[in-house]
């Protein structure tokens, strides 16, 4: 008995050391600088956080989260537990992904070790160690192990489900009755894990097809002569048991989908190749792009990858394709049939949707994808050692050491590239900063610091956005007491909205995006114009992709666009100035005045014009100027203005502090910013005497006083 225990320990400890060493390597790549990288918090991650806060507030744990195109619950449940422990932080969103990514390492080792146990201990250990090593340093897996996307759960659950299934199939052939009972338990656990796969990510709905394809390949192999596969008949009942248990586990979520069938497909209809103008060509392009993602060109989205980086470096990519060919050559053996079914089926979510190659939708091929280069390595090794007797000892040793060195170089190259590409390049790129809404995360931090009594935050968005829109990154990361709003900027509704939102607040902070999705939120600076006409712009705090402007207001501030006085002015028979208002009529030097102009389109403008409003004394001495693009309420530039349409423009003119007192003319001109050519002001009747009358229209006089 003691000898058996000693033999068991001597067998386990080396493998335990291998797993722990690989886990340590994986932990470095997944934990290093986790508080800083990735920067920001992507909208979908933040949405997870907002939903988990609702779970903690209400105590209701939904079986499916219907918002944001619908999300399976398993990963969100983990986030909920982490948020309950750490509070609403970025780390609480991403640490579950780190833990899941680390758990995938031993799960992968177990999967490969069990699948290939029938090929001998040395070979199965080598395959398991190599496949797990490539997983541990894979840029792809590291990337998704550091961000709060629920998809990272899928490779882990697949590894557990198929490891248990293969373990059960092996134990089923054991003649001892005790082992058969163990096999039954393992089949039940495999079914449960398979059912839980469907609680992870949308692409998991293809996982049952892996089992179907595997069974089909197994049956086809048995139908061919001299099949190396064991009989399928004895495995049918256990496989049906696995399917039954998986259906039972899936039943609560399945019932939800029966009640809400529109949520089962999620965004699939929107991103499917069938929505492309030429579906057949799109599908063919996707097949080519997906086949090349392993060594040629990877996902272009900065959110998923260092844009264009393939799954493997060139050396490992060659090993991968060799491994696929080896698996195809040996497809009649069930373990290789499972690998091929796994790879082929779980690539389908990326192949049949637009945007291939897509690392998120094809994440289900992990960890199986890392077995293929390991198969190539062990296959080449077997080929080398088969000629050992025919080669001189020295030559054989040189070949063996050279090959081992190349494998080590391939793994080290993967690790080095992952570190460089992820931490040195991807993490510090501007594309990554905005892809992960680093600006919104910074804004939330600034809002937390500026929070206080009498404060309200306004984050204007375009009126073209949905009326219930909020930025989930800010919703999750802002923890202050001061209210914040996302007013939709529209000339008809914004004055009344500001009156309601700012009532009772003396300090208003307005966030203006200078990059990203909301850079066009208020292109005419309407919010700034209204706040400055009713109050004072106190300060400006620039940030990375945004500006926060502080305004002070009287508590009873009310906002409205001023009434316009008729004005005449025809600019090149294209635009007519129909109305104007400005104020105050008397302004101290160093202060500012506002102006509103109304325009009408007379004929289609050939260029996108700007308006210039300026004060001058008629003798060449200026007293302030403001230029702005001409944009209508639909955010269209002048080339898109319909004939007969009207639009307003706004301006704030800052009068320099050294301006001499006196009366100054307020003139309006129009020019093409591409050529800086001014439009002539002409008579409404071009045949009238005089024709061109100048390059500006005077709309009034402003008195500048001494400070």
């Amino acid at each position: 008995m003691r000898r058996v225990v000693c033999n068991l320990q001597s067998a386990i400890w080396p493998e335990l050391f291998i797993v722990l060493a690989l886990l340590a390597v994986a932990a470095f790549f997944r934990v290093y600088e986790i508080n800083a990288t990735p920067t920001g918090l992507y909208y979908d991650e933040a949405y997870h956080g907002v939903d988990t806060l609702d779970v903690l507030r209400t105590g209701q744990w939904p079986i499916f989260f219907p918002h944001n195109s619908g999300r399976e619950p398993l990963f969100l449940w983990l986030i909920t537990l982490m948020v309950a422990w750490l509070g609403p932080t970025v780390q609480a969103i991403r640490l579950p992904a780190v833990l899941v990514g680390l758990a995938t390492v031993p799960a992968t080792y177990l999967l490969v070790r069990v699948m290939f146990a029938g090929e001998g201990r040395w070979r199965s250990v080598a395959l398991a160690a190599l496949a797990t090593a490539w997983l541990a340093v894979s840029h792809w897996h590291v990337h998704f192990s550091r961000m709060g996307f629920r998809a990272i759960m899928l490779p882990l659950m697949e590894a557990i489900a198929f490891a248990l299934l293969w373990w059960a199939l092996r134990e089923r052939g054991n003649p001892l009755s005790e082992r058969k009972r163990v096999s039954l338990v393992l089949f039940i656990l495999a079914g449960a894990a398979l059912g839980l796969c469907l609680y992870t990510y949308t692409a998991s709905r293809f996982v049952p097809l892996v089992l179907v394809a595997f069974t089909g390949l197994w049956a086809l192999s048995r139908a061919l002569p001299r099949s190396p596969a064991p009989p399928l008949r004895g495995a049918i009942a256990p496989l049906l048991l696995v399917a039954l248990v998986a259906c039972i586990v899936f039943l609560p979520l399945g019932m939800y989908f029966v009640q809400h069938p529109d949520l089962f497909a999620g965004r699939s209809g929107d991103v499917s190749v069938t929505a492309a103008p030429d579906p057949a060509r799109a599908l063919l392009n996707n097949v080519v792009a997906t086949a090349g993602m392993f060594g040629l060109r990877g996902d272009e989205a900065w959110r998923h990858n260092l844009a264009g980086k393939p799954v493997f470096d060139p050396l490992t990519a060659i090993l991968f394709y060799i491994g696929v060919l080896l698996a195809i050559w040996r497809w009649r053996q069930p373990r290789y049939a499972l690998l091929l079914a796994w790879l082929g089926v779980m690539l389908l979510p990326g192949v049949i949707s637009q945007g291939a190659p897509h690392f998120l939708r094809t994440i289900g091929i992990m960890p199986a994808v890392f077995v293929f280069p390991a198969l190539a390595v062990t296959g080449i090794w077997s080929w080398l050692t088969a000629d050992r007797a025919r080669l001189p000892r020295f030559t054989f040793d040189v070949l063996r050491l050279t090959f081992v060195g190349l494998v080590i170089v391939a793994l080290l190259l993967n690790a080095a590239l992952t570190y460089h590409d992820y931490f040195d390049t991807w993490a510090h790129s501007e594309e990554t900063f905005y892809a992960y809404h680093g600006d919104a995360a910074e804004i939330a931090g600034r809002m937390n610091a500026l929070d206080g009594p009498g404060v309200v935050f306004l984050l204007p968005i375009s009126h073209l956005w949905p009326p219930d829109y909020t930025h989930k990154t800010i919703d999750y990361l802002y923890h202050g007491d001061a209210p914040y709003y996302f007013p939709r900027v529209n000339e008809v509704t914004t004055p009344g909205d500001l009156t309601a939102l700012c009532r009772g607040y003396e300090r208003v902070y307005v966030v203006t995006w200078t990059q990203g999705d909301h850079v066009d939120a208020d292109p005419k600076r309407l919010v700034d114009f209204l706040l400055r006409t009713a109050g004072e712009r106190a300060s400006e705090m620039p940030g990375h992709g945004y500006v926060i402007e502080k305004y002070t207001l009287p508590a009873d501030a009310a906002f409205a666009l001023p009434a316009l006085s008729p004005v005449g002015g025809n600019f090149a028979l294209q635009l007519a100035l129909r109305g104007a208002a400005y104020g105050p009529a008397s302004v101290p030097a160093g202060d500012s005045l506002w102006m509103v102009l109304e325009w009408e389109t007379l004929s289609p403008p050939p260029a996108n014009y700007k308006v210039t409003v300026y004060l001058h004394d008629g003798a060449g001495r200026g007293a302030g100027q403001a230029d702005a693009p001409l944009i209508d309420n639909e955010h269209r530039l002048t080339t898109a203005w319909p004939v007969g349409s009207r639009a307003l423009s706004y301006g704030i003119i800052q009068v320099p502090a050294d301006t001499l007192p006196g009366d100054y003319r307020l003139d309006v001109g129009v020019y093409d910013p591409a050529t800086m050519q001014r439009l002539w002001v002409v008579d409404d009747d071009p045949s009238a005497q005089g024709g061109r009358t100048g390059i500006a229209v005077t709309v009034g006089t402003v008195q500048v006083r001494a400070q």
Side-chain angles (χ1 to χ4, degrees), residues 108-436:
T108 300
Y109 187 91
L110 175 65
L111 167 71
V112 183
R113 182 73 169 85
V114 170
M115 282 184 65
F116 290 89
E119 297 192 2
R121 174 178 162 78
W122 176 89
R123 181 174 170 81
S124 64
V125 169
L127 283 168
L130 288 169
T132 308
W134 264 300
L135 171 82
V137 299
S138 163
H139 186 283
W140 188 7
H141 195 263
V142 167
H143 186 101
F144 284 99
S145 296
R146 297 174 63 95
M147 59 185 299
F149 277 20
R150 69 193 191 282
I152 192 62
M153 285 289 298
L154 181 55
L156 172 62
M157 296 311 303
E158 286 179 299
I160 293 173
F162 290 120
L164 290 170
L165 174 63
W166 209 265
W167 193 356
L169 288 171
R170 291 192 66 240
E171 293 296 336
R172 183 182 60 86
N174 196 309
L176 298 177
S177 59
E178 291 184 3
R179 307 306 296 176
K180 289 187 176 181
R181 284 196 293 269
V182 170
S183 175
L184 178 63
V185 172
L186 290 172
F187 277 121
I188 293 173
L189 292 176
L194 190 64
L196 286 176
C197 281
L198 301 172
Y199 286 76
T200 59
Y201 177 56
T202 308
S204 67
R205 290 156 204 173
F206 287 80
V207 173
L209 297 180
V210 175
L211 195 58
V212 173
F214 164 62
T215 305
L217 289 174
W218 190 352
L220 179 61
S221 173
R222 286 298 301 173
L224 298 175
R226 297 187 299 276
S227 173
L232 177 61
R233 182 178 302 174
I236 291 178
L239 290 176
L240 289 176
L241 175 62
V242 170
L244 176 62
V245 174
C247 289
I248 293 173
V249 172
F250 176 66
L251 185 60
L253 185 56
M255 291 298 296
Y256 182 91
F257 286 141
V258 170
Q259 297 169 4
H260 307 85
D262 56 311
L263 293 174
F264 178 76
R267 295 178 57 239
S268 302
D270 297 333
V271 301
S272 171
V273 291
T274 58
D278 187 346
R281 179 177 293 275
L283 182 61
L284 178 61
N285 291 339
N286 281 3
V287 171
V288 174
T290 302
M293 78 181 198
F294 302 100
L296 299 177
R297 191 73 182 172
D299 196 328
E300 297 286 350
W302 285 87
R303 193 166 57 251
H304 306 151
N305 189 30
L306 174 62
K309 177 181 171 68
V311 174
F312 299 116
D313 66 273
L315 179 57
T316 307
I318 293 172
L319 293 174
F320 166 78
Y321 290 118
I322 293 173
V324 172
L325 293 176
L326 284 173
I328 294 173
W329 180 260
R330 300 167 180 168
W331 73 270
R332 296 174 66 181
Q333 300 179 41
R335 59 179 62 90
Y336 295 98
L338 176 59
L339 284 176
L340 291 172
W342 192 339
L343 179 68
V345 170
M346 296 313 295
L347 281 175
L348 287 177
V351 170
I352 65 175
S353 60
Q354 300 180 52
H358 201 288
F359 280 5
L360 182 63
R361 295 172 191 150
T362 56
I363 197 171
I365 66 172
M366 293 194 282
V369 67
F370 302 109
V371 181
F372 292 101
L375 285 174
V377 170
T378 56
I380 295 172
W381 179 264
S382 297
W383 176 73
L384 286 174
T385 54
D387 287 338
R388 179 174 182 177
R390 293 184 299 221
L391 292 174
R393 177 64 181 269
F394 177 77
T395 303
F396 173 76
D397 288 343
V398 170
L399 287 174
R400 182 176 60 176
L401 291 175
T402 301
F403 180 70
V404 171
L406 286 175
V407 174
I408 294 174
V409 166
L411 287 169
L412 292 178
L413 181 61
N414 259 272
L417 287 174
T418 294
Y419 182 91
H420 175 267
D421 291 343
Y422 187 87
F423 294 104
D424 292 340
T425 305
W426 181 85
H428 299 292
S429 70
E430 282 288 290
E431 292 86 352
T432 299
F433 179 84
Y434 290 111
Y436 280 79

